[in-house]
Amino acid sequence: MLAATLITAFALLLPAATLLDHGPDDEAAIRRARTHSNRAIVNRNLLGVAESLADDYVAIVGDGGFVSSKKEYVGLFKQDFDSGSKRVIYERVADKIEVNAEQGLAAEHGHWIGRRVDGSTAFTGTYMAMWQQTPAGWKIRSELFVTLSTGNQPH
């Protein structure tokens, strides 16, 4: 009993990041979160889109525009979800994930595709995401998207 009390007391003195679970499953957890986010986009689920984002999320989108908050980013998806036949369905595909377990950070490098409702490709590009380990799991802290092609390309 005393040992458990001492361990608990010691744990309270450690920085929160030290207490977070880091292991070989970190990359798999990030990939699952990305898959969940992609599915949320397909299903027009704003809550699902927001779930993967840190509270202090920021982004630079494909055309170079700065998105200053999680709320603003989710709002952009709402506008897109409400656009009917002009809607673009975005998919982010992780090509590489690097994890820094000591700092509770990860870098996701990948490519993205924006498809119209009819399946044609509207945009493609590359992206990088910074993930941060939190008590609620891995969350995206920031993203940088670069549009590399636009137009009517076959799916």
Side-chain angles (χ1 to χ4, degrees):
M1 182 70 147
L2 179 60
T5 303
L6 289 173
I7 290 170
T8 302
F10 179 70
L12 292 174
L13 297 174
L14 293 174
T18 305
L19 300 176
L20 300 174
D21 182 28
H22 299 290
D25 295 330
D26 290 331
E27 180 179 341
I30 290 168
R31 288 185 184 278
R32 281 191 305 275
R34 181 57 80 190
T35 297
H36 178 74
S37 176
N38 282 336
R39 264 193 236 127
I41 293 169
V42 169
N43 294 325
R44 297 164 45 171
N45 176 352
L46 288 175
L47 182 60
V49 170
E51 280 179 353
S52 66
L53 306 176
D55 290 337
D56 57 352
Y57 175 87
V58 296
I60 297 177
V61 293
D63 66 359
F66 180 66
V67 178
S68 64
S69 70
K70 176 180 179 175
K71 181 179 178 180
E72 182 181 353
Y73 189 69
V74 172
L76 292 173
F77 274 101
K78 179 169 180 6
Q79 287 175 5
D80 190 58
F81 293 171
D82 292 345
S83 67
S85 64
K86 294 182 179 187
R87 180 172 178 229
V88 177
I89 301 167
Y90 294 95
E91 179 183 15
R92 290 75 42 92
V93 180
D95 298 323
K96 179 180 178 182
I97 296 174
E98 301 170 285
V99 178
N100 178 337
E102 285 183 21
Q103 297 294 316
L105 298 174
E108 175 188 2
H109 312 260
H111 63 279
W112 61 271
I113 305 157
R115 292 186 183 91
R116 295 180 187 91
V117 175
D118 68 5
S120 65
T121 300
F123 311 99
T124 64
T126 62
Y127 74 94
M128 183 166 176
M130 176 184 183
W131 291 78
Q132 185 172 31
Q133 178 66 292
T134 73
W138 285 97
K139 302 292 181 182
I140 303 169
R141 174 79 199 296
S142 60
E143 292 179 295
L144 168 64
F145 296 94
V146 179
T147 301
L148 296 176
S149 68
T150 60
N152 285 325
Q153 300 172 21
H155 171 57

